[in-house]
Each structure stands twice: as C-alpha cells, then as structure tokens.
C-alpha cells in the first residue's frame, strides 16, 4: 500500500517549465515581471493592421492557389485578383479604421510580400 501524500505537497503548483530551446525572449507587461503578453491581444493599431492585412491576403491565396500561380506566371496578378483585393481592402478599412488604413502601407506590403511573392507589383 502506498504512503499517503501530505495535503501541502498535493496542492503545490508544478515547477515552472523551462523555455523551449531556441525560444527568444518574450514580451512581458510592464510592472508584471514574468507575465507574458499574448500577441493576439495587443491593442496597438499598427500591429493589428499589419496582422489583419497579412491574414486577409493569406486567405486569398488559400482560396485561390491556382489563380495566384497563373497570375504570377502570366504577370496578370493585379487583374486576376482585382475583385478579391477590393473586398479585402474594404474589410481591412472596416476593421482598423480609415485613418490607419490611409496612413500605413501594411495592406500594400502584404500584397507584395505574400500575394506577389516578394515582387513589387502593387
């Protein structure tokens, strides 16, 4: 028969886990050492705008991979995705606001980096 475990030992929290090898430093909230900030909860409008732009453009590729490949091959990417880009930009402005959209290059950067594969097309 196993010996009973003292109540204090049973209620003790597990020791903190060591960071994964190669994991970089994590951002923490000011004044709360050790509390990690969830990057998806960051309220910085520029961070939100960049993340949203990249997600919208990535979705275009997910839904139309053959269309993207053909557009890159033929040099017709702008024309091929004209309607999708327009709809995505409208959603982008709706979610982040017109001021941030007009005063940043996040959407265009995402189009060039993701949709155009690093080419400066947009």
């Amino acid at each position: 028969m196993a010996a009973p475990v003292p109540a204090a030992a049973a209620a003790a929290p597990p020791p903190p886990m060591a960071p994964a090898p190669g994991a970089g430093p994590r951002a923490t909230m000011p004044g709360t050492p050790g509390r990690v900030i969830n990057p998806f909860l960051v309220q910085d409008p520029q961070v939100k705008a960049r993340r949203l732009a990249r997600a919208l453009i990535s979705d275009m590729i997910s839904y139309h991979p053959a269309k993207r490949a053909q557009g890159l091959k033929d040099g017709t990417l702008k024309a091929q995705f004209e309607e999708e880009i327009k709809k995505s930009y409208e959603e982008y402005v709706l979610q982040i606001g017109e001021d941030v959209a007009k005063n940043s290059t996040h959407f265009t950067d995402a189009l060039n980096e993701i949709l155009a594969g690093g080419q400066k097309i947009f």
Side-chain angles (χ1 to χ4, degrees):
M1 184 162 150
V5 177
M17 293 178 56
R26 295 186 189 182
T28 58
M29 293 181 66
T32 57
R35 185 166 177 199
V36 178
I37 298 172
N38 181 337
F40 294 101
L41 299 178
V42 173
Q43 296 300 312
D44 180 347
Q46 295 300 321
V47 172
K48 181 179 176 183
R50 182 175 186 274
R51 185 175 293 117
L52 177 61
R54 297 180 70 80
L56 290 168
I57 305 309
S58 293
D59 283 352
M60 279 189 236
I61 295 171
S62 296
Y63 292 118
H64 307 287
K67 186 176 178 178
R68 176 185 182 243
Q70 190 65 42
L72 284 170
K73 180 181 172 188
D74 298 344
T76 59
L77 203 58
K78 272 186 174 180
Q80 291 277 350
F81 280 90
E82 183 175 6
E83 190 62 32
E84 289 86 353
I85 291 169
K86 181 181 176 206
K87 287 179 184 178
S88 291
Y89 187 75
E90 288 170 358
E91 180 65 25
Y92 177 73
V93 171
L94 184 68
Q95 287 195 36
I96 65 155
E98 198 169 324
D99 188 46
V100 174
K102 290 186 185 255
N103 293 310
S104 69
T105 61
H106 301 302
F107 194 82
T108 304
D109 292 345
L111 284 170
N112 286 320
E113 291 170 17
I114 299 169
L115 186 63
Q119 301 175 54
K120 296 284 183 186
I121 294 176
F122 299 94

